[in-house]
Amino acid sequence: VGFSAGGTLALRLACEGGSPLAAVADVAGTMPHVACAAPHAPAVLLMQGAADDELRGEQAALRAAGAPRPTHSLEAALRFWAAHAGCA
């Protein structure tokens, strides 16, 4: 579980596949723009407030302040994890 940048880190750890994670939760973070090598899709819980003016879900891509890589919107993250889990 992580909040803000910690949530982004939790999603990155889920993608790196180095340790078998059963689940991750991201609270007010963003989906990092990284290749996902996880052999299986962990359960993923994504939480963002509807009034969050910094991480608006309707944006196609977000740029975290000072982050070296771009991040994805909430909708893009939802689509990514659903596809990774084999959901339609």
Side-chain angles (χ1 to χ4, degrees), residues 15-40:
C15 272
E16 288 182 349
S19 64
L21 297 173
V24 296
D26 168 22
V27 181
T30 58
M31 176 70 188
H33 186 67
V34 295
C36 198
H40 74 290

Side-chain angles (χ1 to χ4, degrees), residues 40-73:
H40 74 290
V44 176
L45 176 64
L46 302 172
M47 293 179 272
Q48 283 188 4
D52 189 333
D53 63 351
E54 292 183 26
L55 301 176
R56 292 182 301 276
E58 71 274 6
Q59 291 181 338
L62 302 170
R63 177 104 175 127
R69 299 178 193 207
T71 58
H72 297 284
S73 68

